[in-house]
Amino acid sequence: MTEASSISPRIEKAYLVLQNVFDPEIPVLSVLDLGIIRSVSENAGILELDISPTYSGCPAMRVIEMSVRLALEEAGLSPIKINTVIHPPWTTDWMTEEGKEKLRSYGIAPPVNMKRIKGMMDDSKMVCCPRCGSKSTVCVSEFGSTACKAFYKCNDCLEPFDYFKCH
């Protein structure tokens, strides 16, 4: 988002509305927290949004688009055009730090920026347990409750938890 002083009141209002449009699979994260809203602009009187799925084929994407459209229409911001943008692909780097903290508070370990070295993951950074903060965790399954999450277990508190996969 650009500085508030350089955007129109309509776009500023759109960003305020989008703060309250939540991901249906992770209801503590707004579409802004996720970083899937690429841009909001005005073109010939139409409010235009560019939005990116978290991954190709994300089943929540249509629900998110409908929720965004409905919230903006209810706020009196019609007409609206929503464009799906897939290049470059969305990355967890676009999530806000506040969003990552919301994940942790909700019981989901936020993505850890692991560097790829010659095709191998650098395990020097560990996934921390969102309940007790321990770095002694183990991946139980690369497939968690949704396709964007993996399933982990903490070796200290023994609690299972989801990890929002880094991509």
Side-chain angles (χ1 to χ4, degrees):
M1 183 165 90
T2 58
E3 290 183 34
S5 60
S6 66
I7 62 174
S8 75
R10 186 171 182 218
I11 292 174
E12 188 173 355
K13 184 176 180 181
Y15 276 107
L16 291 173
V17 169
L18 293 170
Q19 289 175 349
N20 294 302
V21 177
F22 296 93
D23 182 300
E25 294 176 337
I26 309 171
V28 296
L29 291 182
S30 76
V31 292
L32 295 178
D33 291 327
L34 274 170
I36 63 173
I37 302 295
R38 294 246 181 130
S39 67
V40 179
S41 60
E42 286 182 275
N43 186 10
I46 298 171
L47 186 68
E48 224 174 302
L49 287 84
D50 288 344
I51 187 170
S52 292
T54 54
Y55 69 94
S56 179
C58 174
M61 203 59 213
R62 294 295 166 230
V63 173
I64 292 170
E65 285 179 17
M66 288 187 307
S67 298
V68 164
R69 181 177 302 283
L70 182 61
L72 294 171
E73 286 174 351
E74 287 178 351
L77 295 170
S78 294
I80 300 157
K81 180 179 179 189
I82 299 175
N83 305 306
T84 300
V85 179
I86 58 172
H87 185 75
W90 176 86
T91 170
T92 49
D93 292 341
W94 297 353
M95 293 176 75
T96 65
E97 290 305 313
E98 182 182 347
K100 291 174 185 177
E101 186 52 43
K102 287 177 184 178
L103 277 176
R104 188 182 340 278
S105 296
Y106 190 62
I108 299 171
V112 175
N113 291 328
M114 295 180 176
K115 295 180 181 178
R116 292 198 179 270
I117 300 173
K118 295 181 184 176
M120 303 294 286
M121 295 301 285
D122 176 10
D123 291 329
S124 64
K125 292 185 179 181
M126 303 298 289
V127 174
C128 292
C129 175
R131 291 176 177 80
C132 73
S134 172
K135 288 185 178 182
S136 179
T137 63
V138 62
C139 180
V140 175
S141 174
E142 284 295 322
F143 305 98
S145 60
T146 62
C148 59
K149 292 181 260 173
F151 192 64
Y152 272 68
K153 183 184 101 174
C154 178
N155 292 324
D156 288 337
C157 72
L158 303 178
E159 289 293 321
F161 62 92
D162 275 335
Y163 164 64
F164 199 104
K165 293 186 235 181
C166 190
H167 55 287

